[in-house]
Amino acid sequence: MNNQPVSDTQRRLVMLCAVLGIVLGGLDGAIANIALPTIAKDLSCSETLTVWIVNGYQLAVAVSLLPAAALAESLGLKKVYGFGLALFTAASLACALSGSIGLLVGSRVLQGIGGACMAALSGALVRSVYPRELLHKAFATIALAVAISAATGPTLAAAVLSVATWPWLFLINLPIGLIAVPLFLRVAPHSPRRSFTFDWMGALLNVGALGLGVLGVDALGQKEPRWASIEIGAGFLCAIMLYLQQRRQKAPMLPLDLLAIPLFSLSILTSVCAYAAQILAYVALPFLFQTIMHQSAVTTGLLVTPWPLLVAVAAPFAGQLAARHPASVLSSIGLTILAAGLTMLSIMPAHPSFLDVAWRMGLCGIGFGFYQTPNNLTVMTSGPTTRSGAASGMLAVARTMGWALGSALVALVFGLSEGSSGAVHCLELATGFALTGAILSVSRRVIRDEQHQQKSSP
């Protein structure tokens, strides 16, 4: 995808910038929740308003993913990713200096826009500088960075808050950003661009579809079924209008050309299922540990840690295997292992030892790590290199859709369940999503075999 040769040093420095961007976004997403009670007390605002520190960021990310990917194909990866990195860094400083809840939420929205540029384009950025034979190592590194930032985020937040005030949670982003922004602008190669007029109507419908969907999920979680049904229904209507509108575009923001490729669309659906299973478990497990097992919040954090930790171990290994074995098979094995781990968690005795919990969580982490790298590699390589920005954006959209779907189902399950059974039912539902993802993943192998047979037949 690059117009000029890329040296090994330049490639490593671009990867370093991509990893720093992932760490910025990952840490920020993980640490914000921890500080909400402290921020509410310090800014003298209600808990309802404070929740928008998280919701505003998530909304901004969700609605900005596809526009960021579209702009990158027009303006170039370097400009859009660099803009996102710089905006995220500047918005982090604005968050730290905010003296009111309004300024803080507004700064978090700007952070979300910057984070969306990085999340939507990290895959395309990697593909732009790595040859195909090294892509499996590159995506394993990306998965490793995501896992480590998720694992260390809550611990880092607790450590910072034990010695400093909440603004320092945002100020710790500044050194990373101040290193990454000038380095990236210096070493990143220019990528091919194609001229097109930005689709403002598509962008507005995208905001309606994803934004209202996320708001509806939040309303469902707040047990406001009337608002939830209105917002989710309106979001679904906007999604239909977006699809119809995009069909008439020569360069659609919603990459219908890529979605028409069975290998790509099945990989995206696999991602949605995997991330829905992940968020169902991530939200349900703290309730299981604290409500049923009567563990403290600190112990709960330690019990959850083996999952992201084993993702970090499994992802590089899966990347190496992806160079020699079909990604569809590896991802299916990973999701089957994830389903087994989730099943073991759901049938766990009421008073297990820490070791009993740890090996089950580790099994989930190994399964998710095995799924992630091969599947992301398939998404990024099943279409033409000129559409890497759109492919990377859809990968981020799939993750967002999976998390939104899983969050909505958690709220629904807990609302319908009696007593403390909701957490167990969520784990059972997560198992179903993992197995569905495994089936979708292995079906890619069947499609690829059929395509080979058609090409080889006279």
Side-chain angles (χ1 to χ4, degrees), residues 17-266:
C17 293
V19 167
L20 290 176
I22 289 168
V23 169
L24 278 173
L27 287 178
D28 198 78
I31 66 179
N33 292 334
I34 304 295
L36 291 184
T38 305
I39 294 174
K41 182 179 179 180
D42 191 44
L43 297 182
S44 302
C45 61
S46 66
E47 292 183 357
T48 303
L49 283 176
T50 310
V51 169
W52 279 98
I53 297 171
V54 174
N55 287 355
Y57 179 86
Q58 293 176 338
L59 270 175
V61 170
V63 302
S64 302
L65 291 171
L66 288 178
L71 282 172
E73 293 195 346
S74 172
L75 302 177
L77 283 172
K78 183 172 185 175
K79 287 184 178 180
V80 179
Y81 190 93
F83 168 78
L85 196 55
L87 179 61
F88 189 96
T89 304
S92 296
L93 178 61
C95 288
L97 298 177
S98 297
S100 68
I101 187 65
L103 288 174
L104 181 54
V105 171
S107 300
R108 287 283 287 169
V109 169
L110 291 177
Q111 248 192 337
I113 296 172
C117 292
M118 295 187 291
L121 300 176
S122 59
L125 182 65
V126 168
R127 192 181 182 189
S128 71
V129 296
Y130 276 82
R132 190 180 183 93
E133 62 270 17
L134 294 179
L135 277 177
H136 63 281
K137 294 182 179 179
F139 281 105
T141 303
I142 293 294
L144 184 65
V146 171
I148 290 176
S149 60
T152 58
T155 304
L156 178 62
V160 170
L161 290 175
S162 67
V163 297
T165 55
W166 64 263
W168 283 97
L169 292 175
F170 300 105
L171 288 174
I172 59 177
N173 293 335
L174 291 185
I176 301 175
L178 291 174
I179 292 171
V181 172
L183 178 63
F184 176 79
L185 294 177
R186 181 178 179 182
V187 302
H190 292 283
S191 57
R193 295 179 290 177
R194 58 188 179 91
S195 59
F196 83 117
T197 303
F198 187 72
D199 182 9
W200 291 103
M201 179 56 69
L204 289 174
L205 290 173
N206 162 73
V207 170
L210 292 175
L212 288 170
V214 172
L215 286 173
V217 168
D218 179 68
L220 198 60
Q222 299 297 325
K223 296 184 178 180
E224 299 176 353
R226 179 184 298 179
W227 279 111
S229 58
I230 292 174
E231 289 166 347
I232 292 175
F236 185 69
L237 179 61
C238 286
I240 295 175
M241 294 172 63
L242 175 64
Y243 171 75
L244 295 175
Q245 188 262 352
Q246 292 289 285
R247 289 179 62 184
R248 300 192 298 268
Q249 303 298 314
K250 292 182 179 179
M253 181 181 300
L254 181 67
L256 299 177
D257 56 330
L258 293 178
L259 292 171
I261 302 172
L263 192 61
F264 181 88
S265 55
L266 284 171

Side-chain angles (χ1 to χ4, degrees), residues 202-360:
L204 289 174
L205 290 173
N206 162 73
V207 170
L210 292 175
L212 288 170
V214 172
L215 286 173
V217 168
D218 179 68
L220 198 60
Q222 299 297 325
K223 296 184 178 180
E224 299 176 353
R226 179 184 298 179
W227 279 111
S229 58
I230 292 174
E231 289 166 347
I232 292 175
F236 185 69
L237 179 61
C238 286
I240 295 175
M241 294 172 63
L242 175 64
Y243 171 75
L244 295 175
Q245 188 262 352
Q246 292 289 285
R247 289 179 62 184
R248 300 192 298 268
Q249 303 298 314
K250 292 182 179 179
M253 181 181 300
L254 181 67
L256 299 177
D257 56 330
L258 293 178
L259 292 171
I261 302 172
L263 192 61
F264 181 88
S265 55
L266 284 171
S267 300
I268 290 296
L269 288 174
T270 300
S271 284
V272 172
C273 290
Y275 284 109
Q278 182 195 49
I279 203 67
L280 275 161
Y282 271 19
V283 176
L285 285 169
F287 287 96
L288 181 69
F289 295 148
Q290 294 183 44
T291 305
I292 298 178
M293 294 171 53
H294 306 292
Q295 300 295 335
S296 67
V298 175
T299 303
T300 295
L302 293 174
L303 290 174
V304 171
T305 301
W307 183 323
L309 198 62
L310 268 293
V311 171
V313 173
F317 184 55
Q320 293 176 0
L321 290 176
R324 303 188 301 273
H325 302 285
S328 56
V329 175
L330 293 174
S331 291
S332 296
I333 292 173
L335 289 173
T336 302
I337 294 173
L338 173 62
L342 291 167
T343 300
M344 292 297 101
L345 285 168
S346 67
I347 62 175
M348 190 166 51
H351 302 287
S353 67
F354 287 174
L355 182 61
D356 286 335
V357 177
W359 74 259
R360 288 170 168 86

